[in-house]
């Protein structure tokens, strides 16, 4: 199987997306047939990297179509139409398929997924100027050793990752306690998030030199 740019004619964006959607690499570990859920376009400016689809997202095929997505849109100050405008906003989780649950909690994203697909998808979206890393799994994959000791440490250091990256906590209802214990997040990070995303979507500019992640 050719990787983009490997040999022969260059793979089109649609061909790359078709390969992603046909992926069965970790099918043996999934509770259902693989159903990769992502929204991508070659013109996207903002990339949202979350954890992995939950059951409701798996069933509807629409990412962030759940209470976590409602809170994320509230954080961003966006309507559903704005959020799902794939010409501007790409959504690629750390694990593209629903990994199942254990004792009522979602399992982690499959570890095969991000190293396989993110390095292929990311160069196919050259206009991305800001990546929101939502939750510990996205931060672990993209930041690796640059992560803080805790998620709060990483998010609190958000200025260190500007202008290309903004780490955020997961907007899951399970994280209400974290949000209450860390009021600086709403006071300090959310206004910056809204301002940066608003400027980016309006102008294509992230307010700093592009570093390429
Ligand atoms: S989780 Fe990722 S690697 Fe596994 S089947 Fe789905 S797309 Fe492929």
């Amino acid at each position: 199987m050719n990787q983009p740019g490997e040999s022969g004619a260059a793979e089109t964006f649609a061909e790359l997306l078709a390969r992603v959607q046909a992926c069965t690499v970790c099918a043996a570990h999934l509770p259902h047939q693989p159903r990769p859920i992502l929204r991508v376009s070659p013109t996207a400016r903002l990339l949202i990297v979350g954890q992995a689809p939950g059951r409701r997202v798996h069933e509807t095929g629409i990412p962030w179509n759940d209470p976590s997505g409602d809170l994320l849109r509230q954080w961003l100050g966006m309507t559903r139409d704005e959020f799902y405008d794939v010409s501007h906003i790409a959504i690629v989780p750390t694990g593209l398929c629903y990994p199942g649950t254990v004792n009522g909690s979602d399992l982690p994203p499959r570890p095969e997924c991000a190293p396989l697909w993110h390095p292929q998808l990311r160069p196919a979206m050259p206009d991305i100027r800001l990546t929101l890393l939502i939750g510990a799994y996205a931060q672990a994959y993209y930041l690796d050793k640059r992560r803080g000791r805790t998620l709060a440490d990483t998010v609190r250091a958000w200025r260190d990752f500007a202008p290309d990256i903004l780490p955020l906590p997961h907007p899951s209802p399970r994280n209400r306690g974290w949000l209450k214990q860390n009021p600086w997040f709403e006071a300090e990070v959310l206004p910056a998030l809204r301002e940066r995303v608003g400027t980016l979507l309006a102008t294509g500019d992230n307010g700093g030199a592009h570093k390429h992640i």
Side-chain angles (χ1 to χ4, degrees):
M1 186 187 292
N2 288 349
Q3 303 297 312
E6 226 177 32
S7 66
E11 184 179 50
T12 66
F13 195 90
E15 287 164 347
L16 168 61
L17 183 55
R19 279 200 299 116
V20 177
Q21 286 170 330
C23 180
T24 57
V25 162
C26 66
H29 302 284
L30 299 175
H32 298 280
Q33 287 297 309
R35 186 179 193 190
I37 294 172
L38 71 164
R39 291 176 65 84
V40 286
S41 81
T43 58
R45 296 170 173 179
L46 175 68
L47 172 61
I48 297 175
V49 183
Q51 186 169 319
R55 178 181 296 280
R56 181 162 155 192
V57 169
H58 169 77
E59 286 167 0
T60 62
I62 304 170
W64 295 103
N65 187 28
D66 56 12
S68 299
D70 292 338
L71 184 54
L72 178 59
R73 284 181 283 277
Q74 201 178 307
W75 286 356
L76 291 163
M78 276 184 196
T79 63
R80 279 179 74 91
D81 283 350
E82 289 165 336
F83 184 81
Y84 289 117
D85 176 1
V86 74
S87 69
H88 281 158
I89 300 179
I91 301 174
V92 186
T94 313
L96 300 180
C97 298
Y98 171 52
T101 56
V102 65
N103 300 328
S105 296
D106 285 347
L107 283 164
R110 286 301 310 171
E112 303 88 342
C113 197
L116 173 62
W117 290 118
H118 280 253
Q120 298 187 61
L121 287 163
R122 192 56 190 77
M125 297 186 284
D127 294 338
I128 298 284
R129 293 290 181 273
L130 177 60
T131 300
L132 305 181
L133 299 178
I134 301 185
Y137 292 106
Q139 290 159 21
Y141 178 70
Y142 271 94
L143 299 179
D144 195 23
K145 291 188 170 62
R146 296 168 68 203
R147 264 197 312 165
R149 196 176 51 83
T150 65
L151 184 134
D153 290 343
T154 306
V155 176
R156 203 191 278 271
W158 60 277
R159 291 180 186 84
D160 296 350
F161 305 109
D164 288 28
I165 293 177
L166 187 53
L168 297 171
H170 200 285
S172 160
R174 288 169 185 264
N175 270 350
R176 289 215 179 98
W178 188 96
L179 295 171
K180 247 190 195 151
Q181 284 160 19
N182 295 280
W184 52 267
F185 172 71
E186 260 184 40
E188 206 183 281
V189 186
L190 285 191
L193 168 70
R194 286 192 193 119
E195 190 189 331
R196 288 177 63 191
V197 169
T199 303
L200 174 69
L201 295 182
T203 66
D205 179 21
N206 67 3
H210 184 44
K211 288 196 269 193
H212 282 295
I213 57 170

